[in-house]
Amino acid sequence: MNEVFGIPMSSLATVLAVAFFFCLAISGAIWVRRPILARIGMRNIPRRRVQTALVIVGLMLSTLIFAAALTTGTTLNRSITSDVYRLSGDVDELVVPSGGESEFAGPSPGVTFPEDVTATIRQVADEEPLIDAVIPALWQPVPALNPRTGLSEPVVNLIGLDPTSIESIGSLRDVDGQPIDLAGLPQDGVVLGESTAQQLDAQVGDRLTLYVESATVDVNVAAIAPDWVLTGTLSTGGESGLAMPLARAQELLGRPGEVSFIAVSNRGDARGGLQHSDDVTARLNRALEGTPYRAIPVKQRSVEQAEQAGESFASFFLIFGLFSVAAGLLLIFLIFALLAAERKPEMGTLRALGMKRRHLVAVFLLEGLGYNLIAALVGAVLGVLVAFGIAGIMAQLIGEFLAIEPAWRPRDLVVAYTLGVVVTFLTVAVAAWRVSRLNIVSAVRDLPEPSLPRAGRRWLVFGVLGLLLGGLMLWGGKTADQLFLFAFGMSLLPLSLAAILRRFGVPPRPLYSLASALVLAYWLLPDSLHNRLFGRMEGDIEMFFLSGVMMVAASTVLIVWNADVLTLLVGAFGRSFRSWLPAVKIAVAYPLASRGRTGLTIAMFSLIIFSLVVMSTINANFMALFASDRAGAGWEIAASKPPTNPIPDFRQALADAGIDTGGITAVGRVLQMGPFQAQARQPGDSEWSNYPVSGIDRAFAQASDAPLQLRASGYDSDRAVWEAVSDDPTLAIVDANTLQSGGFGGGPVRFTIEGVERQGSTMQPVQIEIRSPLDNRVRQLTVIGVIDPQASMLFGIYVSERAFQELFPEPASITYYIDVAPGADAQALSRQIEAGLIPYGVQGTVIADEIAEQTSIARGFIRLIQGFMALGLVVGIAALGVVSFRAVVERRHQIGTLRAIGYRQSMVAASFLLESTIVTALGVLSGLVLGLLLSRLVLFSEDFNESFQFESLIIPWGQIAFFAGLALAVALLMAYVPARQASRVSIVEALRYE
């Protein structure tokens, strides 16, 4: 990983290292100049070991989150880049036909050009010392069969290589590392890629049958070599292949004097050659200027994409992990509030003896740093272990496509450790300053702080600063069209105004209740109303975190200032449990007497439950949408094949293969170009976007059950729109993603349409342009329909076959969609089609199974992220442990008094258990309600409704109940030990306790 949130890791490490040493310098200076303060602060750490352990658990979580996210990004980065280097080997650039500007251009099956171009490249290589080798290659996917084992593969990449050229980078080597003489192979000899050998269960000496242009060719496996680009494995997770001499491949494929690409190797090994890629690519493209060919730095771009994937994944984890980090920061405040309460008489005595407030702050800073340095180290190590666990889960999810190799880097741990220490140090500093403000007389006598009719001047100062900052954010957000700044400012204004009014004696309960209600009302505004009131602004995934923090903060304030309603409810319903009513009343009343610590604990649980509920609910609704009964658009089987060796008549080909076609009710054909092989834009736009394009025949249009979200006026049904597109080469249908201008991210595959005027389910037609990057040919189309997201199998722009073939003479792939009669076995028929049409390279899949597999992988990743986010529950659990253990010490005298007036041990224990349960339940309930409200708001917002129209909100009660039950169960478990301890306090000792 080289960046996080766009910040270079090297710069981040430098800044954090400076900040870390600054924190150490401040602490060291205090230690040297005031050693007595250091001894006062550090002596408290070993005094209560259980409490110290809980403090360390809470403090380490932030570092754990940072370390786990960064290490996960490094793991994914290393896994993909290792695969890139392994498959690319010494090949750094490819020369391919391309007159366009797409940075994702590459070789296409069936697209060849004269081998003579190699002479131009070799001339450049002779003059350029950075180039080691130039290797012309011919590539075509072909089906292969191993008669000995009966196994077949519909797509095997046949690669023809120039034996003389490949010697420039060292000969091919087999899986044992022995050199392979490509030129010396027998006439029918081939070098089989390792994956192909495994798929066919082939070994050296086997005879394989290849199906090339409707003819069969027998070849002999002369050697088996590791997978790489020159043995046919062209991409990570893609099909593997076999290699043979170029001349032999040209003869078999009927392409004399033709090649598919020219591979270029830079000076240096597989990794070292990458540093010359920019210079070599520029030099080659200068030589190719004016020709329909260009050099593309395939290895460099693959490595960059791998790094981007790792950085995106790490950023994604960090965004969701910030909820746990925020909960951890609240825990720090809570810890130091409890420590201050415990040492109140001691602090008062120190102040009475002449110690300044800054000295108390220094004491807490040094104590906090003592906890912090240990906790951050433990968190960094545990973060790596968590990341390795995540890697193991990812290997189970996508190991079939990518080998996940757990990896870590010292720099990641340094960044995580220093970031955890610095963030915690700053939070401790603020908390220490807060607890140092005490009344000396009240502190010495261990009495509650005197209640003032109005707040102190600092509230006025903070309120004014908050108003100024909020106003500045409003202006900046509106000016820059940034929703994050605007929404942050709108949330600050009511709370800041409440702080100012509190200074002038306004009663706190109605004031804070109104302010928090206004914040909640703003965040729960419907999207359409918000846009009408404030205008449309841009937001991204960071809004999820901001909304959670602000809504939870407002909800917590509302709860703690109105929680006395619980006391009234207990009194009203107390007759049903009269014997336990005193214990219940105390359990309710005590948390209300300490609003600060109660609010912090509620907020911790609320934050985590909120994030889990939102994630679970949004995921459940999307999974239900994309995996609905209409996901397959009415088709049961998809039979895809390469463009080579065309099938004249699909039904007839099945009949010729001996397959009963009686159960087939419809067959539709779709010609396809992938997302990096076609481009689109709206007329007048300056830039093209990569987006897939498909050409459909009339049979597909007539038999599809593909619902449209929108259709142009004048068409009486969805099918009429599909049929019109299949017949008219000037019309097109697009998927719903093209309408979603908002949302998260974008990336290289991103095409959006602006200005779609909708009236209910109808729309006004809009114009778009599609282009072939191969030769820059452009076609203008009129969009008359938008596919409903329920038909999740359909993605991209759909045009007629005629329009497609005029723009793309050679499709990247061809898919036949098959509908079967009710009761027919689609699975069996799919297997028969793949076996019977092996000469054509057909791969058969049951669409329902494919969709189920895709959604299963998506669910797996969501659960992985949920598990990561659930680490935040550790914070709440630690907080309850600290609060519960502290409550026993703090209320020891009260416990003795209660026991003296007749409270049984069970009633005392029940009171403590109920306190923890009530606080946890309030946090869980708050997070649950807010999460469901925000989920509904997001799913039914204008941005989402542009693409996805949800009929109703699906609530995953099972997942929500699990998380809520887990929080409550662990809360009871953590409260059990201190509750039992409280119940066993001796009456005499408790009454004598000071």
Side-chain angles (χ1 to χ4, degrees):
M1 271 185 62
N2 295 319
E3 292 185 350
V4 176
F5 299 129
I7 304 173
M9 284 286 286
S10 56
S11 301
L12 185 62
T14 302
V15 171
L16 287 174
V18 171
F20 174 73
F21 286 112
F22 181 71
C23 296
L24 290 183
I26 292 176
S27 304
I30 296 173
W31 196 301
V32 171
R33 295 186 60 191
R34 297 284 190 273
I36 186 64
L37 300 181
R39 287 197 292 272
I40 293 173
M42 302 304 290
R43 70 176 182 173
N44 290 304
I45 294 178
R47 288 174 66 184
R48 292 191 175 90
R49 294 176 181 175
V50 174
Q51 181 170 297
T52 297
L54 289 173
V55 170
I56 290 175
V57 168
L59 295 182
M60 78 178 184
L61 193 69
S62 297
T63 310
L64 187 152
I65 296 293
F66 297 141
L70 295 175
T71 305
T72 299
T74 294
T75 293
L76 194 60
N77 184 319
R78 186 75 57 84
S79 299
I80 301 177
T81 53
S82 296
D83 218 36
V84 168
Y85 286 120
R86 179 178 64 85
L87 295 180
S88 298
D90 291 319
V91 174
D92 296 283
E93 294 85 30
L94 295 181
V95 175
V96 296
S98 178
E101 301 173 356
S102 173
E103 58 182 276
F104 299 97
S108 299
V111 177
T112 59
F113 58 97
E115 187 180 355
D116 296 342
V117 178
T118 308
T120 303
I121 307 303
R122 284 187 173 140
Q123 183 178 354
V124 174
D126 291 339
E127 301 169 357
E128 177 55 71
L130 295 179
I131 298 178
D132 271 350
V134 176
I135 307 168
L138 179 63
W139 159 53
Q140 181 168 306
V142 298
L145 169 69
N146 186 352
R148 181 180 65 82
T149 61
L151 297 176
S152 62
E153 273 300 310
V155 177
V156 172
N157 290 321
L158 187 155
I159 293 281
L161 304 172
D162 178 21
T164 304
S165 301
I166 203 170
E167 292 295 331
S168 305
I169 57 172
S171 59
L172 288 175
R173 294 186 177 273
D174 63 18
V175 289
D176 296 322
Q178 299 302 313
I180 301 171
D181 183 7
L182 190 63
L185 292 180
Q187 176 66 19
D188 61 352
V190 298
V191 178
L192 207 60
E194 189 175 9
S195 294
T196 305
Q198 292 173 355
Q199 292 159 355
L200 298 175
D201 193 16
Q203 57 192 21
V204 175
D206 278 356
R207 298 285 293 177
L208 305 181
T209 300
L210 307 181
Y211 298 90
V212 182
E213 303 297 337
S214 303
T216 59
V217 177
D218 291 332
V219 297
N220 181 63
V221 180
I224 297 175
D227 294 332
W228 70 308
V229 66
L230 296 184
T231 57
T233 306
L234 302 181
S235 62
T236 298
E239 295 84 2
S240 58
L242 55 86
M244 62 176 60
L246 177 60
R248 173 66 172 152
Q250 290 171 335
E251 178 186 348
L252 285 181
L253 299 176
R255 303 272 185 165
E258 298 286 313
V259 295
S260 301
F261 59 86
I262 301 171
V264 178
S265 174
N266 298 344
R267 187 182 65 200
D269 58 12
R271 293 180 180 266
L274 190 64
Q275 62 182 316
H276 308 305
S277 196
D278 287 334
D279 294 334
V280 172
T281 302
R283 178 70 179 86
L284 290 172
N285 282 329
R286 284 197 300 270
L288 293 170
E289 191 172 355
T291 70
Y293 314 109
R294 64 186 299 224
I296 54 174
V298 287
K299 183 187 292 183
Q300 182 188 68
R301 288 176 181 170
S302 296
V303 170
E304 288 174 354
Q305 290 170 21
E307 292 174 348
Q308 289 172 4
E311 289 158 7
S312 298
F313 208 79
S315 299
F316 199 65
F317 265 71
L318 278 175
I319 282 288
F320 289 104
L322 285 178
F323 284 97
S324 299
V325 173
L329 298 183
L330 294 178
L331 176 59
I332 295 171
F333 275 99
L334 177 63
I335 287 171
F336 280 87
L338 292 172
L339 293 177
E342 178 184 354
R343 303 168 194 166
K344 196 173 181 180
E346 175 187 330
M347 293 166 61
T349 303
L350 292 173
R351 291 281 282 120
L353 292 174
M355 186 176 283
K356 306 294 185 182
R357 281 187 57 205
R358 65 175 181 273
H359 296 145
L360 290 182
V361 173
V363 168
F364 278 108
L365 266 181
L366 292 173
E367 181 180 353
L369 188 66
Y371 290 124
N372 193 8
L373 293 175
I374 300 172
L377 182 61
V378 175
V381 174
L382 290 180
V384 174
L385 297 180
V386 169
F388 278 29
I390 291 172
I393 298 173
M394 289 174 60
Q396 295 179 358
L397 293 174
I398 60 174
E400 181 182 352
F401 314 104
L402 175 67
I404 299 296
E405 304 173 4
W408 68 280
R409 290 192 300 186
R411 186 177 68 179
D412 294 341
L413 292 191
V414 170
V415 168
Y417 180 77
T418 54
L419 183 59
V421 170
V422 170
V423 169
T424 304
F425 183 86
L426 294 176
T427 309
V428 168
V430 175
W433 174 83
R434 171 68 180 82
V435 300
S436 68
R437 300 182 62 86
L438 50 83
N439 182 284
I440 297 176
V441 175
S442 299
V444 171
R445 300 178 64 186
D446 197 16
L447 297 174
E449 289 291 312
S451 178
L452 300 176
R454 60 182 187 175
R457 283 182 299 177
R458 71 179 185 277
W459 286 100
L460 179 61
V461 174
F462 287 150
V464 172
L465 290 176
L467 277 181
L468 293 175
L469 180 61
L472 185 63
M473 285 184 166
L474 281 179
W475 175 79
K478 189 65 179 172
T479 303
D481 232 17
Q482 290 296 319
L483 185 57
F484 183 89
L485 289 176
F486 186 86
F488 204 160
M490 285 293 290
S491 303
L492 281 180
L493 291 181
L495 299 176
S496 301
L497 186 59
I500 294 174
L501 294 176
R502 182 72 185 98
R503 166 62 180 163
F504 294 102
V506 178
R509 177 175 174 175
L511 182 62
Y512 291 135
S513 298
L514 178 61
S516 57
L518 287 174
V519 174
L520 283 174
Y522 170 76
W523 281 102
L524 295 176
L525 275 178
D527 193 48
S528 57
L529 181 57
H530 187 281
N531 290 340
R532 284 200 298 271
L533 291 175
F534 308 111
R536 195 180 187 93
M537 286 170 276
E538 295 296 325
D540 214 314
I541 194 171
E542 74 278 356
M543 293 302 301
F544 176 41
F545 175 68
L546 181 63
S547 64
V549 170
M550 289 304 174
M551 291 175 71
V552 165
S555 173
T556 303
V557 171
L558 193 61
I559 288 172
V560 296
W561 283 103
N562 295 276
D564 53 356
V565 175
L566 289 175
T567 307
L568 300 177
L569 292 175
V570 168
F573 296 100
R575 294 178 182 177
S576 57
F577 45 89
R578 181 170 299 173
S579 61
W580 291 91
L581 185 59
V584 175
K585 283 189 173 182
I586 290 178
V588 173
Y590 185 76
L592 301 183
S594 305
R595 285 192 173 91
R597 68 178 69 172
T598 301
L600 289 172
T601 310
I602 289 174
M604 291 178 212
F605 279 101
S606 185
L607 269 174
I608 303 305
I609 296 298
F610 169 87
S611 60
L612 291 170
V613 168
V614 172
M615 172 69 74
S616 300
T617 305
I618 291 180
N619 175 60
N621 281 269
F622 273 104
M623 289 298 103
L625 181 70
F626 294 143
S628 68
D629 294 338
R630 309 190 76 176
W635 301 102
E636 301 285 344
I637 299 171
S640 57
K641 65 176 296 296
T644 54
N645 197 9
I647 302 175
D649 186 309
F650 190 80
R651 285 179 181 271
Q652 186 59 48
L654 292 178
D656 293 343
I659 299 173
D660 182 10
T661 60
I664 297 177
T665 58
V667 176
R669 185 173 70 171
V670 178
L671 311 179
Q672 296 164 322
M673 296 299 288
F676 300 130
Q677 298 160 326
Q679 298 175 323
R681 71 177 183 185
Q682 283 188 278
D685 289 349
S686 58
E687 295 184 359
W688 292 89
S689 301
N690 298 287
Y691 216 63
V693 175
S694 300
I696 61 174
D697 64 2
R698 187 166 180 80
F700 179 88
Q702 290 177 330
S704 288
D705 181 22
L708 298 180
Q709 186 183 94
L710 297 172
R711 64 172 184 260
S713 54
Y715 296 92
D716 57 2
S717 67
D718 294 344
R719 180 160 297 175
V721 175
W722 283 104
E723 291 179 356
V725 168
S726 68
D727 293 336
D728 191 337
T730 65
L731 303 179
I733 295 174
V734 299
D735 68 84
N737 290 299
T738 59
L739 301 185
Q740 191 179 2
S741 57
F744 304 148
V749 187
R750 188 68 172 149
F751 168 58
T752 58
I753 299 175
E754 301 290 341
V756 175
E757 297 181 13
R758 61 172 74 196
Q759 296 87 33
S761 61
T762 62
M763 59 173 284
Q764 293 299 315
V766 295
Q767 302 296 313
I768 64 169
E769 295 175 337
I770 58 175
R771 180 175 78 162
S772 167
L774 191 63
D775 54 17
N776 282 341
R777 281 188 292 177
V778 177
R779 188 177 191 91
Q780 186 161 324
L781 300 165
T782 301
V783 175
I784 61 169
V786 177
I787 303 170
D788 193 296
Q790 291 184 74
S792 57
M793 180 195 74
L794 304 181
F795 175 67
I797 301 170
Y798 288 81
V799 300
S800 68
E801 274 196 343
R802 182 174 139 201
F804 183 95
Q805 290 171 335
E806 289 177 358
L807 201 59
F808 309 102
E810 193 74 30
S813 64
I814 302 172
T815 299
Y816 293 90
Y817 289 98
I818 302 158
D819 191 19
V820 301
D825 189 343
Q827 188 72 54
L829 180 58
S830 174
R831 288 194 295 265
Q832 291 174 11
I833 290 173
E834 186 167 311
L837 300 185
I838 182 65
Y840 298 98
V842 172
Q843 289 181 297
T845 57
V846 177
I847 293 173
D849 292 345
E850 186 176 359
I851 292 172
E853 181 180 359
Q854 292 172 354
T855 54
S856 175
I857 293 174
R859 285 193 183 98
F861 270 106
I862 293 298
R863 286 170 184 162
L864 177 63
I865 294 171
Q866 288 174 331
F868 186 72
M869 294 164 65
L871 289 172
L873 289 176
V874 176
V875 174
I877 293 165
L880 275 177
V882 173
V883 171
S884 301
F885 277 101
R886 172 59 198 156
V888 175
V889 177
E890 191 176 69
R891 296 160 60 189
R892 196 176 182 88
H893 194 278
Q894 181 193 90
I895 294 169
T897 303
L898 293 175
R899 294 279 288 113
I901 63 175
Y903 269 65
R904 298 188 301 275
Q905 286 186 345
S906 58
M907 294 177 68
V908 172
S911 177
F912 277 84
L913 282 174
L914 280 173
E915 283 180 24
S916 298
T917 304
I918 290 170
V919 171
T920 306
L922 287 172
V924 169
L925 184 62
S926 171
L928 171 62
V929 173
L930 294 177
L932 291 178
L933 289 174
L934 185 69
S935 298
R936 181 177 180 82
L937 199 66
V938 169
L939 291 172
F940 292 90
S941 66
E942 286 186 351
D943 280 342
F944 273 83
N945 272 329
E946 286 180 347
S947 302
F948 317 109
Q949 293 183 341
F950 297 97
E951 296 179 359
S952 60
L953 182 68
I954 297 173
I955 301 176
W957 288 115
Q959 292 185 42
I960 292 174
F962 171 77
F963 290 123
L966 179 65
L968 290 170
V970 177
L972 285 172
L973 183 63
M974 287 299 296
Y976 173 73
V977 174
R980 187 178 64 172
Q981 179 183 345
S983 68
R984 295 181 177 182
V985 170
S986 168
I987 299 176
V988 175
E989 291 180 3
L991 291 175
R992 295 175 59 188
Y993 179 75
E994 293 295 337

